[in-house]
Amino acid sequence: PESATTIPYARVSIDVFREQARSYSSLAKEHLLMTDAAQAPLRPLADTSPSAIVAGFIAMMTGYTSSLVLMFQAGQAAGLTTAQISSWIWALSIGMAVCSIGLSLRYRTPITIAWSTPGAALLITSLGGVSYGEAIGAYITCAVLVTLCGLTGSFEKLVKRIPASLAAALLAGILFKIGSEIFVAAQHRTGLVLGMFFTYLVIKRLSPRYAVLAALLIGTALSGLMGLLDFSGFHLEVATPVWTTPHFSLAATISIGIPLFVVAMTSQNMPGVAVLRADGYNVPASPLITTTGLASLVLAPFGSHGINLAAISAAICTGPHAHEDRNKRYTAAVWCGIFYGIAGVFGATLAALFAALPKELVLSIAALALFGSIINGLSIAMNEPKEREAALITFMVTASGLTLFSIGSAFWGIVAGVLTLLILNGRKA
């Protein structure tokens, strides 16, 4: 150095270089491990674990309880028969089961598929305005548009442009509301929720992989002791698919097809990819979108309004609670698909089954299973100093539940974060 004053800066530069070298070395080792795992023989039964089975069950339970009631409400408002509503649930469940199992085994990645919860809420007000045949035609239109996005690769290009910090903040914002529900539930069933919460903490210290399972078992036992389990309305009944011939109309396309497409891409597929990327699973998005679009297209005549990448339930399968080995967490999504299939076969009795469980138990176990994913999302979101403010705004807008023009907060969270990033860090003219 030309002067002594430059020595501290040189030392800092060397330290930074060493830290980056360690980071790149760690990433390289992780990449080699993932490559070796991908080349190893596929053994889903050998790779599975009790925690993976529990994670799959909780993911399935979270997916159904989040919006199953909305579907019944939409179906009843539209005057659908019990058989048609049952076929609707069957079609969605079979599509989610086949895609979750197939994609997870294909990519050895915990890829969880779910129906569109915002789409189900949209149908409550719009389904009754058209005939059921026209609604089916609108479902097909939406499925075709989703498939085209996957085939052309336009969605993949968009997702790659989103910074990792904003994607992680989006994930954390989506999961935050579900995670915080455990403390709201404690107001109504204090003994039940606290029993589950402290069980989780104690087992987390002793044996982390069984913390969620122990909380679920204790919660079920406490619910039984408190008289909160009611199976009086539960009975087995196999669902039967019902074909509805589609009809296409401009009114149904505008009121149902286009809004369903926008909601599916912004509120389901984009957060779903963010969940995978935030947990280090860099699966190409286009094949996933194409597969769900084609499955939605085939199942639409039986009532399916569309299946998409899952976000909240996906985070349960991609998080550390699913399996201690991240290369074997795909088994959690496989088990989720198996439970989807079982639930779909008995779709007519699904609502009664979940009605038998106290709402606070379902909310609490879902929240506990998501703690690890929320921690990971917030850690990555705040890792880059120049992007922290944009990541914070993405997180806050997404967690707020904001809805504008019938588009959910996940989309607006990304928009707000990108705009903040451009204003604060964009190149000046």
Side-chain angles (χ1 to χ4, degrees):
E2 295 180 0
S3 63
T5 57
T6 62
I7 294 177
Y9 298 101
R11 289 175 178 172
V12 170
S13 299
I14 292 173
D15 290 339
V16 170
F17 175 78
R18 287 174 177 171
E19 184 63 30
Q20 290 179 342
R22 293 192 195 100
S23 177
Y24 291 136
S25 175
S26 176
L27 290 172
K29 290 178 182 178
E30 184 177 345
H31 177 71
L32 289 174
L33 289 174
M34 292 179 65
T35 303
D36 292 340
Q39 294 175 350
L42 186 64
R43 301 182 303 168
L45 291 179
D47 290 344
T48 196
S49 67
S51 59
I53 298 174
V54 172
F57 179 75
I58 295 174
M60 180 276 297
M61 187 168 61
T62 302
Y64 278 107
T65 54
S66 63
S67 62
L68 190 63
V69 176
L70 296 177
M71 292 168 54
F72 276 94
Q73 186 178 350
Q76 292 171 353
L80 302 186
T81 65
T82 303
Q84 287 174 324
I85 297 176
S86 175
S87 177
W88 186 0
I89 298 174
W90 173 88
L92 290 170
S93 302
I94 296 303
M96 294 187 301
V98 172
C99 291
S100 294
I101 295 173
L103 290 173
S104 296
L105 293 177
R106 167 65 179 82
Y107 293 102
R108 297 195 187 191
T109 298
I111 301 170
T112 310
I113 307 300
W115 63 57
S116 174
T117 299
L122 173 71
L123 293 176
I124 294 178
T125 57
S126 58
L127 193 59
V130 299
S131 68
Y132 192 47
E134 291 176 330
I136 296 297
Y139 298 166
I140 292 177
T141 301
C142 174
V144 169
L145 293 174
V146 172
T147 304
L148 288 175
C149 279
L151 292 174
T152 59
S154 56
F155 182 75
E156 179 87 35
K157 294 175 183 177
L158 175 63
V159 170
K160 285 184 177 180
R161 291 182 175 272
I162 300 176
S165 59
L166 299 194
L170 175 69
L171 166 65
I174 293 170
L175 304 183
F176 176 78
K177 185 172 179 60
I178 299 296
S180 62
E181 286 291 336
I182 185 173
F183 306 110
V184 178
Q187 299 179 14
H188 308 288
R189 299 290 179 187
T190 306
L192 171 64
V193 175
L194 290 183
M196 296 175 64
F197 182 70
F198 285 110
T199 298
Y200 169 83
L201 294 180
V202 172
I203 303 301
K204 178 75 173 180
R205 177 172 181 173
L206 301 176
S207 182
R209 71 165 69 179
Y210 299 112
V212 177
L213 173 60
L216 176 61
L217 295 176
I218 293 297
T220 304
L222 290 175
S223 298
L225 293 174
M226 296 177 180
L228 301 177
L229 299 178
D230 181 16
F231 293 98
S232 59
F234 176 74
H235 61 280
L236 291 178
E237 183 180 348
V238 177
T240 304
V242 176
W243 173 276
T244 300
T245 303
H247 297 282
F248 297 91
S249 70
L250 182 61
T253 299
I254 294 175
S255 63
I256 296 179
I258 302 300
L260 269 182
F261 167 71
V262 174
V263 164
M265 300 306 291
T266 58
S267 298
Q268 290 286 149
N269 288 329
M270 186 177 291
V273 173
V275 169
L276 293 172
R277 300 286 165 84
D279 283 322
Y281 297 103
N282 295 313
V283 185
S286 293
L288 309 185
I289 303 301
T290 303
T291 302
T292 57
L294 291 174
S296 300
L297 183 62
V298 171
L299 294 169
F302 300 101
S304 169
H305 68 280
I307 58 174
N308 315 106
L309 296 179
I312 295 174
S313 54
I316 296 174
C317 295
T318 61
H321 292 300
H323 202 295
E324 59 180 359
D325 185 349
R326 66 187 311 277
N327 293 321
K328 297 181 180 180
R329 291 175 193 168
Y330 74 93
T331 58
V334 171
W335 278 106
C336 179
I338 293 173
F339 290 128
Y340 276 150
I342 296 173
V345 171
F346 300 99
T349 60
L350 205 55
L353 173 62
F354 287 114
L357 303 174
K359 181 179 67 175
E360 292 78 11
L361 184 150
V362 176
L363 291 174
S364 298
I365 198 65
L368 293 173
L370 291 172
F371 276 5
S373 296
I374 296 174
I375 293 171
N376 184 54
L378 289 174
S379 299
I380 297 175
M382 298 299 158
N383 189 46
E384 183 61 43
K386 290 184 178 181
E387 298 177 358
R388 283 175 184 168
E389 197 152 5
L392 176 63
I393 291 176
T394 299
F395 168 77
M396 294 177 67
V397 173
T398 305
S400 69
L402 168 71
T403 299
L404 287 176
F405 309 112
S406 299
I407 300 176
S409 60
F411 173 78
W412 297 118
I414 281 291
V415 171
V418 170
L419 289 176
T420 302
L421 198 61
L422 290 175
I423 294 172
L424 295 181
N425 299 329
R427 295 181 178 179
K428 297 181 179 180

